[in-house]
Amino acid sequence: VQLQASGGGLVQAGGSLRVSCAPSGRMFAVYGVGWFRQAPGKEREFVAAIEWRAGRTYYADSVKGRFVISRDSRKNTVYLQMNDLKPEDTAAYYCAGDRVTRGGRMSLNLDDYDYWGQGTQVTVSS
């Protein structure tokens, strides 16, 4: 399964943007999907994740209350709605699939994810 992120762009601070993640195969091959981001000169970091079947969600503290992750099983797509964007949210955003659960929960560690695709750039201007 390859996951493709799309929907990035340029937005002003305080604005909103929704990015999408669609697979080349079927989503049921993964336990869940996570969003990660990487800013220039920084390490890739966890943003949000969702369990594909149960819909349970996970968020990084830095985006909690501003970002919402969701999935549409009919469209086989995961979304990340980003509200009240800040310049520090500027990064390349990647989605990734994790095949297994860990202790009944999803991992927030990017090294545990099995499927990756190309990212989509989100730029927030001040």
Side-chain angles (χ1 to χ4, degrees):
V1 177
Q2 274 225 326
L3 300 176
Q4 181 62 49
S6 63
L10 175 64
V11 63
Q12 287 189 330
S16 298
L17 201 62
R18 188 179 78 165
V19 290
S20 303
C21 175
S24 58
R26 298 291 298 178
M27 277 296 197
F28 62 65
V30 301
Y31 177 75
V33 175
W35 283 98
F36 295 81
R37 66 187 181 186
Q38 187 166 19
K42 294 189 176 181
E43 293 187 350
R44 194 169 297 189
E45 64 177 5
F46 170 78
V47 176
I50 187 167
E51 296 176 9
W52 181 250
R53 286 185 172 82
R56 184 165 55 174
T57 58
Y58 308 76
Y59 294 95
D61 288 342
S62 60
V63 306
K64 203 171 292 184
R66 299 188 298 124
F67 290 12
V68 179
I69 189 171
S70 63
R71 87 264 196 249
D72 185 332
S73 57
R74 290 175 301 175
K75 295 184 178 180
N76 213 32
T77 300
V78 172
Y79 302 100
L80 183 68
Q81 176 68 41
M82 302 181 289
N83 302 316
D84 190 23
L85 282 161
K86 305 175 180 181
E88 52 264 42
D89 294 318
T90 295
Y93 282 72
Y94 300 85
C95 60
D98 190 354
R99 290 183 298 116
V100 300
T101 178
R102 289 165 177 80
R105 296 179 59 83
M106 286 191 66
S107 171
L108 308 186
N109 185 342
L110 62 90
D111 292 330
D112 291 331
Y113 283 70
D114 307 288
Y115 309 112
W116 291 84
Q118 292 182 334
T120 186
Q121 179 67 34
V122 173
T123 303
V124 184
S125 63
S126 57

